[in-house]
Amino acid sequence: MSENVKLPDGWKKVKLEEIAENTKFSIVDGPFGTQLHADEYVEDGEVPVIRVINLSYEGKFIKNDLVFISKDKANKLIRSRVIPGDIIIAKTGATIGKCGIFPPVFSEGIIASSCMKISLDKNKASNVFILYWLTSRYGQNVVINSALGTTRTTINITPFKNLELLLPPLPEQRKIAEILETIDNAIEKTDAIIEKYKRIKQGLMQDLLTKGVVSEGEGESERWRLRDENIDKFKDSLLGRIPEEWEVVRLGEIGKIITGSTPSTENLEYYGDEYLFVSPEDIRENKYITDSQKKLSELGFRISRKIPSDSICVVCIGSTIGKIAITKTICTTNQQINSIVPNSNIFNSEALFYFIVLYSQKPLKQEAGLQAVPIVNKNRFSRIQIPLPPLHEQQRIASILSQIDEVIEKEQAYKEKLERIKKGLMEDLLTGKVRVNHLIEEEEK
């Protein structure tokens, strides 16, 4: 920590060891690899072993994938014991800095060799406050800068003990932790809502894109219902049972397939900030492509293969094969992407997006084969098969699924807003730039 940092009134600069419990094993690392082997994990073990996989950069303890050892084995590793409230941090390699608080659902645990733990003196420091500090930009920088080694970075016990931070009085620590926990809880609730709607969407896609919907009534009394094999007619196809009105078509039969290309990177005149140049990294969770990391100039755009708006872009090369999105504007793509410009008289672009999402993943993997770098060229991509419902039915299916997508996107935008608020609060509260003493005084009154 820089010596020039100005201390907020009432705060002090401390080392982690100064706020740890005054006990022999308050700051320790996990046992040597020779002391604990994977074949000693037991399904009905009593004591969990906390590994890096159970920690996160956000400070969340992840109970999934816990492994267990017997009580007898844990007693032999008592030095590396953790109890509820202890902070655990990853100390080695690319995951250095991941951390979490050992939860009260267990009475004790043992940390793996890739981790360290600190037991704090509750009269000096709030473990939640220290956890937030460790996950902050400042804390992560201090941890990484204190690590040793070039090929395999590790932070050892002594450098960890000597990590310095600015510590407010205990009541202020607790209030800051409370504020940050409140926004974290809001983020978790929003996450749960997003996951709920994603599950609903997955179920709807399975039903709508295999059974479809039929219209009953006319005008204002018109309503749609899911087809039922007990009532409606279905037929066997290469894709399984589908409604009798549907056909099976190849992607090459419903529109134009365009494989992207990359203008020479040696000619800087091809690149600028005018036209989107889409790569797999630009296809994220959202249904639409709205931006790209690289852009082309007018000259670069003129020599490229243009992709109209409302086209479907599918990654067909590399580890992210199968990622899919819809273009919102005219753009270009690199050679890792095959795009479909659908014939609007045959396929609604929104509906086509959903059908490709459901029906293309397995064929893409089959067409790519077992090559070191998976590749599905234009010809192989063109022969992937999907169902073709009547156009009016496509539009209705797309409308239903788009509505739930809009809800998911709204919740995701809210979550991103909360994360930005949290980041700003951490910057302000953990440095003393914004004080919370007035909140403490109001509560006391």
Side-chain angles (χ1 to χ4, degrees):
M1 180 176 292
S2 171
E3 296 297 326
N4 297 322
V5 173
K6 184 179 179 182
L7 281 172
D9 185 37
W11 290 37
K12 58 184 178 180
K13 186 189 295 183
V14 299
K15 295 179 179 180
L16 280 183
E17 67 176 347
E18 295 175 43
I19 56 174
E21 281 185 348
N22 187 24
T23 56
K24 185 176 181 181
F25 299 132
S26 60
I27 300 179
V28 294
D29 52 10
F32 291 115
T34 54
Q35 294 177 293
L36 179 60
H37 300 280
D39 58 12
E40 294 179 279
Y41 300 154
V42 288
E43 288 186 14
D44 57 349
E46 303 169 65
V47 181
V49 177
I50 296 85
R51 302 170 294 168
V52 172
I53 197 172
N54 305 118
L55 309 173
S56 68
Y57 289 115
E58 294 76 32
K60 300 300 178 187
F61 186 89
I62 302 165
K63 288 181 283 190
N64 300 337
D65 299 313
L66 276 172
V67 294
F68 293 82
I69 56 175
S70 67
K71 178 68 173 175
D72 287 342
K73 182 62 181 179
N75 287 338
K76 295 175 183 177
L77 303 172
I78 196 70
R79 173 186 173 277
S80 300
R81 179 174 179 258
V82 289
I83 61 172
D86 286 349
I87 297 175
I88 306 165
I89 184 167
K91 70 169 192 174
T92 303
T95 57
I96 190 170
K98 285 188 173 185
C99 51
I101 293 177
F102 190 63
V105 292
F106 306 104
S107 59
E108 63 174 333
I110 297 293
I111 55 173
S113 59
S114 55
C115 300
M116 284 194 302
K117 71 100 176 188
I118 177 170
S119 302
L120 294 169
D121 184 334
K122 297 178 177 60
N123 294 316
K124 295 180 180 179
S126 155
N127 60 350
V128 179
F129 176 87
I130 299 302
L131 182 76
Y132 278 119
W133 177 79
L134 283 170
T135 62
S136 71
R137 177 168 63 89
Y138 311 102
Q140 289 288 301
N141 286 341
V142 168
V143 169
I144 292 170
N145 291 337
S146 299
L148 306 171
T150 53
T151 57
R152 189 170 174 79
T153 306
T154 300
I155 181 167
N156 295 321
I157 292 177
T158 299
F160 185 67
K161 285 181 176 180
N162 290 324
L163 294 185
E164 289 186 332
L165 70 148
L166 301 184
L167 192 71
L170 193 55
E172 196 168 351
Q173 292 179 48
R174 290 171 177 158
K175 177 54 68 176
I176 290 171
E178 179 189 323
I179 292 168
L180 294 176
E181 276 191 307
T182 300
I183 196 162
D184 259 341
N185 290 338
I187 291 171
E188 286 182 11
K189 287 179 181 178
T190 308
D191 246 341
I193 293 170
I194 291 170
E195 290 307 311
K196 171 189 169 185
Y197 279 109
K198 282 183 176 179
R199 290 193 297 273
I200 292 171
K201 177 188 171 183
Q202 193 62 38
L204 277 173
M205 284 181 65
Q206 191 62 42
D207 285 339
L208 292 170
L209 303 179
T210 58
K211 299 176 182 178
V213 291
V214 288
S215 171
E216 295 179 337
E218 295 182 0
E220 293 183 1
S221 62
E222 181 186 29
R223 65 185 183 88
W224 295 79
R225 66 168 175 83
L226 194 68
R227 279 194 184 82
D228 184 341
E229 284 217 46
N230 296 318
I231 304 172
D232 306 295
K233 294 181 179 180
F234 283 73
K235 64 184 179 183
D236 292 321
S237 76
L238 294 172
L239 300 174
R241 298 282 287 172
I242 60 173
E244 192 176 58
E245 297 92 331
W246 291 15
E247 300 175 36
V248 173
V249 294
R250 296 183 176 189
L251 293 181
E253 297 173 334
I254 60 174
K256 183 180 180 182
I257 308 293
I258 300 173
T259 301
S261 62
T262 300
S264 172
T265 54
E266 294 181 1
N267 190 338
L268 298 180
E269 292 184 357
Y270 290 151
Y271 295 87
D273 58 3
E274 298 178 63
Y275 297 93
L276 299 187
F277 176 59
V278 179
S279 65
E281 292 74 25
D282 302 314
I283 299 177
R284 299 184 176 88
E285 286 192 14
N286 291 341
K287 182 165 65 173
Y288 301 108
I289 297 169
T290 57
D291 202 0
S292 63
Q293 295 179 19
K294 288 186 179 180
K295 294 183 174 65
L296 301 181
S297 64
E298 180 72 42
L299 179 61
F301 187 69
R302 273 206 308 270
I303 66 166
S304 299
R305 297 166 186 166
K306 296 163 185 62
I307 312 298
S309 60
D310 296 322
S311 300
I312 316 299
C313 294
V314 183
V315 178
C316 289
I317 298 178
S319 59
T320 57
I321 192 168
K323 289 174 70 175
I324 303 169
I326 305 175
T327 60
K328 290 295 285 180
T329 60
I330 186 171
C331 63
T332 66
T333 75
N334 72 6
Q335 62 275 16
Q336 292 176 278
I337 295 172
N338 283 317
S339 300
I340 310 171
V341 186
N343 183 330
S344 59
N345 294 321
I346 300 176
F347 232 119
N348 171 279
S349 62
E350 296 270 336
L352 178 58
F353 166 82
Y354 294 114
F355 275 98
I356 292 176
V357 167
L358 187 66
Y359 284 93
S360 72
Q361 299 303 313
K362 186 176 178 180
L364 280 170
K365 289 181 174 63
Q366 290 173 338
E367 293 287 356
L370 300 175
Q371 305 170 78
V373 179
I375 297 176
V376 179
N377 63 27
K378 181 178 177 179
N379 289 336
R380 289 179 175 178
F381 181 71
S382 299
R383 63 191 187 205
I384 291 174
Q385 296 179 324
I386 62 171
L388 174 65
L391 196 56
H392 69 282
E393 189 176 347
Q394 294 175 35
Q395 292 165 342
R396 182 58 186 167
I397 290 171
S399 174
I400 295 169
L401 292 173
S402 292
Q403 287 175 37
I404 197 164
D405 264 339
E406 287 173 8
V407 175
I408 292 171
E409 288 169 12
K410 180 181 176 182
E411 294 296 335
Q412 285 174 331
Y414 179 57
K415 178 188 171 185
E416 289 169 6
K417 178 183 177 181
L418 289 174
E419 288 172 336
R420 289 193 299 271
I421 292 171
K422 178 188 171 184
K423 183 179 178 181
L425 283 172
M426 289 178 75
E427 294 277 337
D428 290 341
L429 298 177
L430 296 175
T431 59
K433 182 179 178 180
V434 172
R435 304 298 296 272
V436 296
N437 293 336
H438 63 289
L439 298 176
I440 298 170
E441 291 170 3
E442 287 175 9
E443 286 184 358
E444 290 173 350
K445 289 179 183 178

